[in-house]
Amino acid sequence: MGRMTGERAEGVVRAAVVYDGRLLLVPEKDGWGLPSGTPQPAETSQATAARVVYELTGYLVDGTEALDQGDAGGGTSVLCRLLTESPSGGGRLTPDRLRWASAEETAGIPLPAPVRHYLHGHTPPI
């Protein structure tokens, strides 16, 4: 096992939580976006993504895969798998303020390119 020296996250980590072909979105100042936040010291991007999603939404997720390092916004997008079907209630946002959107419904939302690419490759066409 090599040391994970290059694994520390930098910049903003965006969590792409996909469940049943839908993407979890949270309200942003000008619409909808991915749950995102900045890493704590020595935290991997996967760990940051899982923590941010839980803090915002109460959903337990597993940060499974960094889709890319350093997207245009200087951050990382992490693909997350939902571990619980319903939120714990500990999130800052109540469930009625969250949105599960199909790939088609995200058309007008500025998603990072790797997330958009993943969605189009992994969601069934209508």
Side-chain angles (χ1 to χ4, degrees):
M1 297 283 286
R3 288 185 321 166
M4 306 209 331
T5 47
E7 279 292 307
R8 280 207 320 277
E10 291 180 15
V12 174
V13 174
R14 295 174 188 84
V17 183
V18 180
Y19 177 73
D20 198 22
R22 293 178 181 272
L23 183 67
L24 177 63
L25 299 174
V26 297
E28 291 190 335
K29 57 184 176 298
D30 48 4
W32 296 92
L34 300 176
S36 61
T38 52
Q40 293 175 349
E43 195 173 46
T44 65
S45 51
Q46 285 93 331
T48 301
R51 176 179 55 78
V52 163
V53 170
Y54 184 74
E55 287 176 356
L56 278 175
T57 70
Y59 278 106
L60 279 176
V61 299
D62 175 8
T64 51
E65 176 187 354
L67 291 177
D68 80 326
Q69 296 292 340
D71 59 32
T76 305
S77 303
V78 176
L79 184 65
C80 297
R81 196 175 57 221
L82 198 61
L83 300 179
T84 49
E85 296 238 350
S86 56
S88 70
R92 289 203 294 266
L93 297 170
T94 51
D96 61 318
R97 294 188 59 206
L98 306 175
R99 182 175 166 198
W100 288 95
S102 67
E104 288 73 28
E105 290 168 337
T106 66
I109 294 166
L111 296 176
V115 174
R116 172 96 44 216
H117 180 78
Y118 177 87
L119 277 180
H120 282 290
H122 292 80
T123 55
I126 298 297

